[in-house]
Amino acid sequence: MTTKPAISLENVGALAFHIIASRLGPSEAAAVACVNKRFKDWASDESLWSIFSSQELGLSSPVDPLGNPSPSFKAAYGAWREAYGMYPWPLVRRVKNVWDRIKIWLTGNFPEVLPTLRKGASEDELNELEKSLKVKLPLPTRVLYRFCDGQEQCSDESSGSISGNLCGLIGGYSYYDFLVNVYLLPLNDIIKKTRKIARYVKFTRPKHVVMAVSSTYTEKMFFLDCEVGQLYVGTKNLLRSRERMPCVPNGLITSVHDSRNEPQLDAMLLWLEEHIRRLENGIIKVREDGNIRSISLFPEQPPTCSVATTSGVQVRASAVFAPEFSDLMEETEKYMFAYSIRMSLKPEGCFVHGMSFDSCQLYWRHWIIKSNDNIVGDINGEAVIGQYPLLRPRQKEFVYESCTTAEASPGSIEGSFTFIPGRLVDPKGSPFEVEVARFPLLLPDYIF
Amino acid sequence: MIADEIVLSFPNITRVTMSKVLEYCNIHGAGADDETRAFDEQFVDVDQKTLFDLVLAAHDLKIKMLYDIVGERTGDMMKGKTPEEIRIIFNIGENSCVDDHPLQKELNPWAFE
């Protein structure tokens, strides 16, 4: 005769369900809820599902995928699983996580961009694009667009102001009169731009789809190779010979069309993950140029940004690779780098020749450009971009940008500025040199 | 003197279960290391009845570490099983609300893929 155990799992479950449930995932808890009514009660406990919702989806309150409140965490979790059931769940979680991180960072650092992020596209809209362009989008890109359908162009709501912010999520840089600010295209613009560019740049199959462009006069275009899942950026020779460079290390791309083999990683997902990592770690930041704010791709931290202080003058310097002006067919002037120099005077003023001064002005620059440690350029000249910056304590950094080409990577720039204490028109002492510490000219593994 | 004569009584815990609990506490008295981890693994490898008795005893005696490992082991026994399999393994009746079950499955189809 078989006897039931004196104490059954039901009793144990009711008592110890938190510790038992810690070993179960949401699918298993949902299965356990079907065993009988008592199990349904403890496996449906809200505290359990709030943990699952928080761990898997980062939800702190029960909301469904459209942002509407759900009656319970269990209901919310189910709604998310249903809405994204056509994709591998770990991929959905990973994509939600990258968009959450982006929105959190924007909220804290550049909230003006948030309204430009369009709400997610539908399955129908994605299928429509695939049909129109005769491509099959990689799985991660589909899921990325389910969460956010690219960006609206930033419209400046404040009245009368001529210059709006540059809201491209990918950001950019400016030097001389070149300005780059890259934003993610919405699906219907992807269709339009891809068709338009196909007339000029005849890619052989598989078709490359335009995913992101600069909103400015400067032509900078990012193309997704849908078959392989790699993202490319056009160089100077894009129109002439379809020349482009990969934006993400090839070896990291995997399983882009295979929903059974985890993880599915395409260049769009890896690119956005790297970008938010840099933003979160302060490697790149928001730049304020007059009234205009934008995400600047000039690095702000070592080792790609150098800093040196001489006699109270601090100089920070870094470079960014500009693929749209690079020409891979060139021998010597192959890679274009834009660089940004920021200088400021310490609060104590400048201390030189045993005396203290409350201002100093730049007069001369000296640059040494190296390629693979060989000196390839030695430049002397007056001023910087035609200006003689006057530095005073507690003022904002004086920033200027310029550019240089390089034959090979890695290269570097270092040098010095000559300053006069006081002002050029009213010198208070003899000139002194201020170091610009070496900063690299490096072809990056991720190109933005 | 009187302290030595206090008699402790645990009507809900059998002698067998209590001796297992004491064994656990003795091994873990000196803190955790590889040996205690190896001990834990074979300690929880017991039949259901013993395991459930240990969960209840650990709960009543408020021995967190023991409670955690036996609770976890119970959870592990349920992983990857269908509701039918759980009922069979743990000898659980379907009780009332037989109708609930198909409804649960429909509400959470994703759990059964």
Side-chain angles (χ1 to χ4, degrees):
Chain A
M1 157 183 115
T2 49
T3 48
K4 281 208 185 130
I7 295 154
S8 76
L9 183 58
E10 292 176 50
N11 305 110
V12 170
L15 197 56
F17 74 85
H18 271 122
I19 188 72
I20 294 172
S22 72
R23 307 302 279 178
L24 305 176
S27 301
E28 290 148 349
V32 165
C34 291
V35 170
N36 69 19
K37 185 167 190 323
R38 286 191 73 173
F39 279 88
K40 176 167 176 273
D41 287 340
W42 70 254
S44 301
D45 190 83
E46 266 298 272
S47 60
L48 189 62
W49 289 93
S50 96
I51 292 173
F52 290 146
S53 301
S54 166
Q55 280 174 350
E56 301 218 328
L57 294 167
L59 295 180
S60 53
S61 63
V63 285
D64 71 14
L66 297 172
N68 302 319
S70 272
S72 67
F73 274 109
K74 186 163 189 287
Y77 187 90
W80 281 88
R81 289 299 297 247
E82 281 240 21
Y84 290 94
M86 63 290 287
Y87 298 108
W89 186 240
L91 177 60
V92 175
R93 290 176 55 194
R94 188 162 171 162
V95 168
K96 180 175 199 299
N97 180 252
V98 77
W99 279 117
D100 283 349
R101 286 164 67 194
I102 289 172
K103 287 179 184 162
I104 289 170
W105 184 88
L106 287 172
T107 305
N109 296 275
F110 199 179
E112 299 91 314
V113 173
L114 286 167
T116 71
L117 297 179
R118 293 162 53 92
K119 72 175 175 53
S122 66
E123 285 295 303
D124 282 342
E125 286 165 329
L126 286 165
N127 296 335
E128 175 65 43
L129 179 144
E130 290 191 342
K131 202 165 121 200
S132 301
L133 296 177
K134 298 196 187 41
V135 291
K136 194 159 175 306
L137 290 171
L139 284 171
T141 297
R142 279 189 73 113
V143 184
L144 282 166
Y145 271 80
R146 280 289 307 274
F147 277 87
C148 172
D149 181 21
Q151 289 184 269
E152 303 285 6
Q153 290 254 36
C154 192
S155 62
D156 195 359
E157 256 127 65
S158 60
S159 57
S161 158
I162 302 166
S163 54
N165 291 310
L166 291 164
C167 293
L169 181 62
I170 306 299
Y173 37 85
S174 75
Y175 60 99
Y176 301 152
D177 48 11
F178 298 116
L179 175 62
V180 166
N181 190 260
V182 176
Y183 72 104
L184 300 178
L185 291 174
L187 291 183
N188 53 3
D189 283 338
I190 291 177
I191 298 176
K192 287 188 203 141
K193 283 230 165 24
T194 302
R195 285 201 173 130
K196 184 164 160 210
I197 212 71
R199 290 204 288 272
Y200 301 101
V201 185
K202 307 230 181 310
F203 285 119
T204 51
R205 303 193 67 221
K207 195 178 261 179
H208 290 62
V209 156
V210 183
M211 300 299 293
V213 297
S214 178
S215 61
T216 61
Y217 287 118
T218 307
E219 290 272 327
K220 184 168 185 177
M221 266 188 251
F222 291 86
F223 302 86
L224 182 66
D225 175 336
C226 292
E227 205 158 291
V228 159
Q230 175 62 281
L231 190 68
Y232 293 93
V233 63
T235 67
K236 204 158 137 185
N237 295 321
L238 177 66
L239 293 181
R240 199 177 345 149
S241 58
R242 298 190 290 280
E243 189 177 75
R244 61 202 185 277
M245 299 178 72
C247 297
V248 156
N250 266 312
L252 296 177
I253 298 174
T254 155
S255 276
V256 300
H257 290 292
D258 185 356
S259 52
R260 277 156 313 161
N261 277 319
E262 255 108 59
Q264 293 83 7
L265 297 172
D266 70 7
M268 283 301 293
L269 177 56
L270 292 163
W271 199 56
L272 286 175
E273 283 183 341
E274 173 63 10
H275 188 54
I276 187 58
R277 184 191 72 81
R278 292 183 186 187
L279 288 167
E280 283 169 345
N281 290 336
I283 298 170
I284 53 176
K285 291 183 179 164
V286 174
R287 165 138 156 76
E288 202 151 323
D289 187 5
N291 284 330
I292 304 174
R293 302 182 79 212
S294 64
I295 292 175
S296 169
L297 295 178
F298 287 112
E300 296 274 341
Q301 285 189 12
T304 38
C305 180
S306 76
V307 61
T309 307
T310 322
S311 306
V313 180
Q314 184 194 74
V315 180
R316 301 190 307 122
S318 65
V320 67
F321 175 60
E324 68 280 15
F325 292 113
S326 299
D327 184 342
L328 304 182
M329 304 203 285
E330 262 281 336
E331 280 283 332
T332 47
E333 294 181 358
K334 190 175 289 188
Y335 303 123
M336 175 69 83
F337 287 91
Y339 60 85
S340 168
I341 312 291
R342 306 79 139 179
M343 46 186 107
S344 59
L345 189 57
K346 292 274 181 204
E348 314 82 71
C350 79
F351 191 80
V352 71
H353 312 314
M355 290 187 291
S356 206
F357 303 93
D358 63 4
S359 73
C360 57
Q361 193 159 14
L362 186 148
Y363 173 60
W364 195 259
R365 72 188 184 283
H366 176 217
W367 291 124
I368 298 172
I369 302 172
K370 290 184 179 170
S371 177
N372 277 327
D373 283 332
N374 304 317
I375 298 181
V376 292
D378 193 322
I379 299 159
N380 275 285
E382 253 189 65
V384 288
I385 57 165
Q387 296 185 33
Y388 301 86
L390 174 65
L391 303 182
R392 283 198 227 271
R394 278 176 286 277
Q395 276 184 340
K396 266 175 72 166
E397 275 181 326
F398 173 84
V399 181
Y400 83 91
E401 297 97 353
S402 184
C403 66
T404 184
T405 53
E407 180 179 336
S409 171
S412 66
I413 303 181
E414 64 209 79
S416 62
F417 295 129
T418 307
F419 276 83
I420 308 267
R423 305 174 59 182
L424 288 178
V425 297
D426 180 21
K428 298 272 200 280
S430 42
F432 61 98
E433 277 198 14
V434 166
E435 184 196 0
V436 182
R438 181 188 309 187
F439 61 96
L441 301 177
L442 202 55
L443 212 56
D445 47 0
Y446 286 83
I447 301 181
F448 290 96
Chain B
M1 288 306 266
I2 299 179
D4 291 345
E5 289 167 10
I6 289 177
V7 172
L8 304 173
S9 154
F10 298 95
N12 290 329
I13 303 176
T14 65
R15 185 181 55 81
V16 167
T17 305
M18 184 57 91
S19 66
K20 287 213 77 137
V21 170
L22 290 171
E23 187 192 353
Y24 178 89
C25 292
N26 280 329
I27 297 284
H28 277 262
D33 60 19
D34 290 333
E35 276 186 35
T36 57
R37 272 185 278 282
F39 168 81
D40 285 353
E41 270 184 50
Q42 57 91 5
F43 183 80
V44 293
D45 190 13
V46 292
D47 61 86
Q48 276 180 44
K49 180 182 185 322
T50 312
L51 195 64
F52 296 164
D53 285 343
L54 284 168
V55 171
L56 294 175
H59 178 269
D60 285 351
L61 294 170
K62 299 187 179 13
I63 304 171
K64 186 178 188 309
M65 275 174 62
L66 175 61
Y67 178 73
D68 283 353
I69 62 162
V70 290
E72 285 170 7
R73 170 81 183 141
T74 310
D76 286 342
M77 287 165 74
M78 289 159 58
K79 274 166 94 153
K81 306 282 189 296
T82 65
E84 293 76 25
E85 285 167 343
I86 293 178
R87 285 192 210 108
I88 291 167
I89 292 171
F90 293 103
N91 203 358
I92 299 163
E94 285 181 57
N95 293 348
S96 55
C97 308
V98 175
D99 298 343
D100 266 358
H101 311 152
L103 196 59
Q104 271 294 304
K105 275 198 176 173
E106 272 150 34
L107 285 175
N108 303 304
W110 49 265
F112 298 94
E113 266 145 31

PDB file of all heavy atoms in Angstrom, chain A residues 414-440:
ATOM      1  N   GLU A 414      51.807  65.159 -30.474  1.00  0.00           N
ATOM      2  CA  GLU A 414      52.213  65.780 -29.213  1.00  0.00           C
ATOM      3  C   GLU A 414      52.820  67.121 -29.568  1.00  0.00           C
ATOM      4  O   GLU A 414      53.066  67.405 -30.751  1.00  0.00           O
ATOM      5  CB  GLU A 414      53.243  64.925 -28.479  1.00  0.00           C
ATOM      6  CG  GLU A 414      54.547  64.783 -29.247  1.00  0.00           C
ATOM      7  CD  GLU A 414      55.252  63.478 -28.935  1.00  0.00           C
ATOM      8  OE1 GLU A 414      54.843  62.428 -29.486  1.00  0.00           O
ATOM      9  OE2 GLU A 414      56.217  63.527 -28.160  1.00  0.00           O
ATOM     10  N   GLY A 415      53.058  67.943 -28.565  1.00  0.00           N
ATOM     11  CA  GLY A 415      53.666  69.233 -28.897  1.00  0.00           C
ATOM     12  C   GLY A 415      53.609  70.206 -27.750  1.00  0.00           C
ATOM     13  O   GLY A 415      53.581  69.809 -26.576  1.00  0.00           O
ATOM     14  N   SER A 416      53.612  71.472 -28.097  1.00  0.00           N
ATOM     15  CA  SER A 416      53.580  72.489 -27.058  1.00  0.00           C
ATOM     16  C   SER A 416      53.003  73.783 -27.606  1.00  0.00           C
ATOM     17  O   SER A 416      53.018  74.034 -28.823  1.00  0.00           O
ATOM     18  CB  SER A 416      54.990  72.744 -26.529  1.00  0.00           C
ATOM     19  OG  SER A 416      55.810  73.232 -27.570  1.00  0.00           O
ATOM     20  N   PHE A 417      52.484  74.585 -26.694  1.00  0.00           N
ATOM     21  CA  PHE A 417      52.041  75.935 -27.024  1.00  0.00           C
ATOM     22  C   PHE A 417      52.956  76.917 -26.324  1.00  0.00           C
ATOM     23  O   PHE A 417      53.423  76.660 -25.212  1.00  0.00           O
ATOM     24  CB  PHE A 417      50.613  76.183 -26.540  1.00  0.00           C
ATOM     25  CG  PHE A 417      49.570  75.326 -27.228  1.00  0.00           C
ATOM     26  CD1 PHE A 417      48.647  74.604 -26.496  1.00  0.00           C
ATOM     27  CD2 PHE A 417      49.521  75.258 -28.616  1.00  0.00           C
ATOM     28  CE1 PHE A 417      47.676  73.836 -27.121  1.00  0.00           C
ATOM     29  CE2 PHE A 417      48.561  74.479 -29.253  1.00  0.00           C
ATOM     30  CZ  PHE A 417      47.639  73.760 -28.501  1.00  0.00           C
ATOM     31  N   THR A 418      53.204  78.057 -26.969  1.00  0.00           N
ATOM     32  CA  THR A 418      53.946  79.122 -26.304  1.00  0.00           C
ATOM     33  C   THR A 418      52.957  80.169 -25.837  1.00  0.00           C
ATOM     34  O   THR A 418      52.133  80.652 -26.628  1.00  0.00           O
ATOM     35  CB  THR A 418      54.970  79.763 -27.269  1.00  0.00           C
ATOM     36  OG1 THR A 418      55.773  78.735 -27.838  1.00  0.00           O
ATOM     37  CG2 THR A 418      55.852  80.743 -26.512  1.00  0.00           C
ATOM     38  N   PHE A 419      53.027  80.498 -24.567  1.00  0.00           N
ATOM     39  CA  PHE A 419      52.134  81.486 -23.968  1.00  0.00           C
ATOM     40  C   PHE A 419      52.936  82.686 -23.489  1.00  0.00           C
ATOM     41  O   PHE A 419      54.115  82.583 -23.148  1.00  0.00           O
ATOM     42  CB  PHE A 419      51.403  80.886 -22.747  1.00  0.00           C
ATOM     43  CG  PHE A 419      50.168  80.104 -23.091  1.00  0.00           C
ATOM     44  CD1 PHE A 419      50.251  78.775 -23.489  1.00  0.00           C
ATOM     45  CD2 PHE A 419      48.915  80.704 -23.024  1.00  0.00           C
ATOM     46  CE1 PHE A 419      49.101  78.058 -23.803  1.00  0.00           C
ATOM     47  CE2 PHE A 419      47.764  79.982 -23.335  1.00  0.00           C
ATOM     48  CZ  PHE A 419      47.859  78.657 -23.731  1.00  0.00           C
ATOM     49  N   ILE A 420      52.240  83.836 -23.445  1.00  0.00           N
ATOM     50  CA  ILE A 420      52.833  85.052 -22.864  1.00  0.00           C
ATOM     51  C   ILE A 420      52.039  85.382 -21.603  1.00  0.00           C
ATOM     52  O   ILE A 420      50.805  85.425 -21.664  1.00  0.00           O
ATOM     53  CB  ILE A 420      52.692  86.242 -23.839  1.00  0.00           C
ATOM     54  CG1 ILE A 420      53.227  85.899 -25.212  1.00  0.00           C
ATOM     55  CG2 ILE A 420      53.305  87.499 -23.251  1.00  0.00           C
ATOM     56  CD1 ILE A 420      54.663  86.280 -25.441  1.00  0.00           C
ATOM     57  N   PRO A 421      52.726  85.615 -20.476  1.00  0.00           N
ATOM     58  CA  PRO A 421      51.963  86.012 -19.277  1.00  0.00           C
ATOM     59  C   PRO A 421      51.337  87.388 -19.497  1.00  0.00           C
ATOM     60  O   PRO A 421      51.920  88.238 -20.168  1.00  0.00           O
ATOM     61  CB  PRO A 421      53.023  86.074 -18.170  1.00  0.00           C
ATOM     62  CG  PRO A 421      54.262  85.489 -18.738  1.00  0.00           C
ATOM     63  CD  PRO A 421      54.165  85.580 -20.229  1.00  0.00           C
ATOM     64  N   GLY A 422      50.157  87.567 -18.939  1.00  0.00           N
ATOM     65  CA  GLY A 422      49.457  88.844 -19.158  1.00  0.00           C
ATOM     66  C   GLY A 422      48.669  88.731 -20.443  1.00  0.00           C
ATOM     67  O   GLY A 422      47.850  87.847 -20.606  1.00  0.00           O
ATOM     68  N   ARG A 423      48.904  89.632 -21.382  1.00  0.00           N
ATOM     69  CA  ARG A 423      48.238  89.572 -22.689  1.00  0.00           C
ATOM     70  C   ARG A 423      49.243  89.911 -23.765  1.00  0.00           C
ATOM     71  O   ARG A 423      50.256  90.516 -23.503  1.00  0.00           O
ATOM     72  CB  ARG A 423      47.090  90.577 -22.742  1.00  0.00           C
ATOM     73  CG  ARG A 423      46.084  90.428 -21.615  1.00  0.00           C
ATOM     74  CD  ARG A 423      45.065  91.534 -21.653  1.00  0.00           C
ATOM     75  NE  ARG A 423      44.356  91.501 -22.937  1.00  0.00           N
ATOM     76  CZ  ARG A 423      43.417  92.373 -23.278  1.00  0.00           C
ATOM     77  NH1 ARG A 423      43.095  93.349 -22.440  1.00  0.00           N
ATOM     78  NH2 ARG A 423      42.824  92.297 -24.449  1.00  0.00           N
ATOM     79  N   LEU A 424      48.979  89.532 -24.993  1.00  0.00           N
ATOM     80  CA  LEU A 424      49.886  89.830 -26.093  1.00  0.00           C
ATOM     81  C   LEU A 424      50.095  91.337 -26.226  1.00  0.00           C
ATOM     82  O   LEU A 424      51.202  91.801 -26.485  1.00  0.00           O
ATOM     83  CB  LEU A 424      49.347  89.259 -27.420  1.00  0.00           C
ATOM     84  CG  LEU A 424      49.418  87.736 -27.555  1.00  0.00           C
ATOM     85  CD1 LEU A 424      48.818  87.281 -28.875  1.00  0.00           C
ATOM     86  CD2 LEU A 424      50.853  87.249 -27.469  1.00  0.00           C
ATOM     87  N   VAL A 425      49.009  92.104 -26.048  1.00  0.00           N
ATOM     88  CA  VAL A 425      49.142  93.560 -26.203  1.00  0.00           C
ATOM     89  C   VAL A 425      49.731  94.204 -24.935  1.00  0.00           C
ATOM     90  O   VAL A 425      50.082  95.371 -24.948  1.00  0.00           O
ATOM     91  CB  VAL A 425      47.792  94.223 -26.553  1.00  0.00           C
ATOM     92  CG1 VAL A 425      47.289  93.705 -27.886  1.00  0.00           C
ATOM     93  CG2 VAL A 425      46.772  94.010 -25.451  1.00  0.00           C
ATOM     94  N   ASP A 426      49.805  93.398 -23.878  1.00  0.00           N
ATOM     95  CA  ASP A 426      50.310  93.947 -22.623  1.00  0.00           C
ATOM     96  C   ASP A 426      51.042  92.841 -21.861  1.00  0.00           C
ATOM     97  O   ASP A 426      50.568  92.342 -20.842  1.00  0.00           O
ATOM     98  CB  ASP A 426      49.129  94.505 -21.804  1.00  0.00           C
ATOM     99  CG  ASP A 426      49.583  95.104 -20.467  1.00  0.00           C
ATOM    100  OD1 ASP A 426      50.786  95.451 -20.343  1.00  0.00           O
ATOM    101  OD2 ASP A 426      48.748  95.184 -19.542  1.00  0.00           O
ATOM    102  N   PRO A 427      52.198  92.417 -22.384  1.00  0.00           N
ATOM    103  CA  PRO A 427      52.879  91.277 -21.757  1.00  0.00           C
ATOM    104  C   PRO A 427      53.419  91.656 -20.392  1.00  0.00           C
ATOM    105  O   PRO A 427      53.902  92.769 -20.190  1.00  0.00           O
ATOM    106  CB  PRO A 427      54.007  90.949 -22.739  1.00  0.00           C
ATOM    107  CG  PRO A 427      54.057  92.030 -23.739  1.00  0.00           C
ATOM    108  CD  PRO A 427      52.896  92.935 -23.551  1.00  0.00           C
ATOM    109  N   LYS A 428      53.322  90.675 -19.478  1.00  0.00           N
ATOM    110  CA  LYS A 428      53.814  90.941 -18.132  1.00  0.00           C
ATOM    111  C   LYS A 428      55.092  90.172 -17.834  1.00  0.00           C
ATOM    112  O   LYS A 428      55.614  90.239 -16.723  1.00  0.00           O
ATOM    113  CB  LYS A 428      52.750  90.523 -17.092  1.00  0.00           C
ATOM    114  CG  LYS A 428      51.434  91.270 -17.187  1.00  0.00           C
ATOM    115  CD  LYS A 428      51.478  92.542 -16.349  1.00  0.00           C
ATOM    116  CE  LYS A 428      50.111  93.070 -15.999  1.00  0.00           C
ATOM    117  NZ  LYS A 428      49.497  93.828 -17.101  1.00  0.00           N
ATOM    118  N   GLY A 429      55.561  89.403 -18.797  1.00  0.00           N
ATOM    119  CA  GLY A 429      56.777  88.617 -18.564  1.00  0.00           C
ATOM    120  C   GLY A 429      57.201  87.962 -19.857  1.00  0.00           C
ATOM    121  O   GLY A 429      56.610  88.205 -20.910  1.00  0.00           O
ATOM    122  N   SER A 430      58.212  87.131 -19.774  1.00  0.00           N
ATOM    123  CA  SER A 430      58.693  86.491 -21.012  1.00  0.00           C
ATOM    124  C   SER A 430      57.911  85.212 -21.288  1.00  0.00           C
ATOM    125  O   SER A 430      57.327  84.608 -20.383  1.00  0.00           O
ATOM    126  CB  SER A 430      60.187  86.221 -20.925  1.00  0.00           C
ATOM    127  OG  SER A 430      60.521  85.723 -19.654  1.00  0.00           O
ATOM    128  N   PRO A 431      57.912  84.793 -22.571  1.00  0.00           N
ATOM    129  CA  PRO A 431      57.096  83.635 -22.977  1.00  0.00           C
ATOM    130  C   PRO A 431      57.507  82.354 -22.273  1.00  0.00           C
ATOM    131  O   PRO A 431      58.652  82.215 -21.843  1.00  0.00           O
ATOM    132  CB  PRO A 431      57.368  83.507 -24.481  1.00  0.00           C
ATOM    133  CG  PRO A 431      58.019  84.764 -24.897  1.00  0.00           C
ATOM    134  CD  PRO A 431      58.661  85.365 -23.693  1.00  0.00           C
ATOM    135  N   PHE A 432      56.567  81.434 -22.168  1.00  0.00           N
ATOM    136  CA  PHE A 432      56.861  80.135 -21.580  1.00  0.00           C
ATOM    137  C   PHE A 432      56.116  79.069 -22.372  1.00  0.00           C
ATOM    138  O   PHE A 432      55.128  79.362 -23.042  1.00  0.00           O
ATOM    139  CB  PHE A 432      56.475  80.083 -20.097  1.00  0.00           C
ATOM    140  CG  PHE A 432      55.003  80.299 -19.815  1.00  0.00           C
ATOM    141  CD1 PHE A 432      54.147  79.215 -19.603  1.00  0.00           C
ATOM    142  CD2 PHE A 432      54.474  81.587 -19.759  1.00  0.00           C
ATOM    143  CE1 PHE A 432      52.797  79.426 -19.335  1.00  0.00           C
ATOM    144  CE2 PHE A 432      53.135  81.798 -19.489  1.00  0.00           C
ATOM    145  CZ  PHE A 432      52.292  80.722 -19.281  1.00  0.00           C
ATOM    146  N   GLU A 433      56.652  77.856 -22.289  1.00  0.00           N
ATOM    147  CA  GLU A 433      56.050  76.760 -23.059  1.00  0.00           C
ATOM    148  C   GLU A 433      55.127  75.914 -22.203  1.00  0.00           C
ATOM    149  O   GLU A 433      55.398  75.670 -21.030  1.00  0.00           O
ATOM    150  CB  GLU A 433      57.148  75.860 -23.635  1.00  0.00           C
ATOM    151  CG  GLU A 433      57.692  76.419 -24.918  1.00  0.00           C
ATOM    152  CD  GLU A 433      58.441  75.377 -25.749  1.00  0.00           C
ATOM    153  OE1 GLU A 433      58.329  74.159 -25.463  1.00  0.00           O
ATOM    154  OE2 GLU A 433      59.145  75.822 -26.663  1.00  0.00           O
ATOM    155  N   VAL A 434      54.050  75.487 -22.831  1.00  0.00           N
ATOM    156  CA  VAL A 434      53.071  74.624 -22.161  1.00  0.00           C
ATOM    157  C   VAL A 434      52.975  73.331 -22.942  1.00  0.00           C
ATOM    158  O   VAL A 434      52.800  73.349 -24.155  1.00  0.00           O
ATOM    159  CB  VAL A 434      51.691  75.319 -22.110  1.00  0.00           C
ATOM    160  CG1 VAL A 434      50.599  74.339 -21.732  1.00  0.00           C
ATOM    161  CG2 VAL A 434      51.737  76.493 -21.143  1.00  0.00           C
ATOM    162  N   GLU A 435      53.078  72.226 -22.241  1.00  0.00           N
ATOM    163  CA  GLU A 435      53.098  70.929 -22.915  1.00  0.00           C
ATOM    164  C   GLU A 435      51.701  70.513 -23.378  1.00  0.00           C
ATOM    165  O   GLU A 435      50.710  70.704 -22.668  1.00  0.00           O
ATOM    166  CB  GLU A 435      53.627  69.868 -21.946  1.00  0.00           C
ATOM    167  CG  GLU A 435      53.775  68.485 -22.569  1.00  0.00           C
ATOM    168  CD  GLU A 435      53.931  67.376 -21.541  1.00  0.00           C
ATOM    169  OE1 GLU A 435      53.923  67.669 -20.324  1.00  0.00           O
ATOM    170  OE2 GLU A 435      54.029  66.207 -21.952  1.00  0.00           O
ATOM    171  N   VAL A 436      51.642  69.934 -24.582  1.00  0.00           N
ATOM    172  CA  VAL A 436      50.463  69.166 -24.988  1.00  0.00           C
ATOM    173  C   VAL A 436      50.922  67.712 -24.985  1.00  0.00           C
ATOM    174  O   VAL A 436      51.740  67.300 -25.812  1.00  0.00           O
ATOM    175  CB  VAL A 436      49.952  69.546 -26.388  1.00  0.00           C
ATOM    176  CG1 VAL A 436      48.699  68.752 -26.723  1.00  0.00           C
ATOM    177  CG2 VAL A 436      49.700  71.034 -26.474  1.00  0.00           C
ATOM    178  N   ALA A 437      50.420  66.945 -24.020  1.00  0.00           N
ATOM    179  CA  ALA A 437      50.886  65.570 -23.888  1.00  0.00           C
ATOM    180  C   ALA A 437      50.412  64.740 -25.072  1.00  0.00           C
ATOM    181  O   ALA A 437      49.369  65.012 -25.667  1.00  0.00           O
ATOM    182  CB  ALA A 437      50.375  64.975 -22.588  1.00  0.00           C
ATOM    183  N   ARG A 438      51.192  63.718 -25.374  1.00  0.00           N
ATOM    184  CA  ARG A 438      50.909  62.903 -26.546  1.00  0.00           C
ATOM    185  C   ARG A 438      49.512  62.300 -26.457  1.00  0.00           C
ATOM    186  O   ARG A 438      49.113  61.753 -25.436  1.00  0.00           O
ATOM    187  CB  ARG A 438      51.947  61.796 -26.641  1.00  0.00           C
ATOM    188  CG  ARG A 438      51.735  60.903 -27.856  1.00  0.00           C
ATOM    189  CD  ARG A 438      52.638  59.702 -27.841  1.00  0.00           C
ATOM    190  NE  ARG A 438      54.020  60.097 -27.616  1.00  0.00           N
ATOM    191  CZ  ARG A 438      55.037  59.281 -27.692  1.00  0.00           C
ATOM    192  NH1 ARG A 438      54.833  58.017 -27.984  1.00  0.00           N
ATOM    193  NH2 ARG A 438      56.254  59.694 -27.448  1.00  0.00           N
ATOM    194  N   PHE A 439      48.764  62.387 -27.571  1.00  0.00           N
ATOM    195  CA  PHE A 439      47.481  61.701 -27.649  1.00  0.00           C
ATOM    196  C   PHE A 439      47.461  60.853 -28.924  1.00  0.00           C
ATOM    197  O   PHE A 439      48.098  61.199 -29.911  1.00  0.00           O
ATOM    198  CB  PHE A 439      46.297  62.684 -27.569  1.00  0.00           C
ATOM    199  CG  PHE A 439      46.229  63.723 -28.657  1.00  0.00           C
ATOM    200  CD1 PHE A 439      45.429  63.519 -29.775  1.00  0.00           C
ATOM    201  CD2 PHE A 439      46.949  64.904 -28.562  1.00  0.00           C
ATOM    202  CE1 PHE A 439      45.350  64.490 -30.773  1.00  0.00           C
ATOM    203  CE2 PHE A 439      46.880  65.866 -29.540  1.00  0.00           C
ATOM    204  CZ  PHE A 439      46.080  65.667 -30.653  1.00  0.00           C
ATOM    205  N   PRO A 440      46.766  59.724 -28.888  1.00  0.00           N
ATOM    206  CA  PRO A 440      46.860  58.771 -29.993  1.00  0.00           C
ATOM    207  C   PRO A 440      45.973  59.117 -31.183  1.00  0.00           C
ATOM    208  O   PRO A 440      44.918  59.738 -31.039  1.00  0.00           O
ATOM    209  CB  PRO A 440      46.390  57.458 -29.363  1.00  0.00           C
ATOM    210  CG  PRO A 440      45.501  57.863 -28.242  1.00  0.00           C
ATOM    211  CD  PRO A 440      45.960  59.200 -27.767  1.00  0.00           C
TER     212      PRO A 440
END
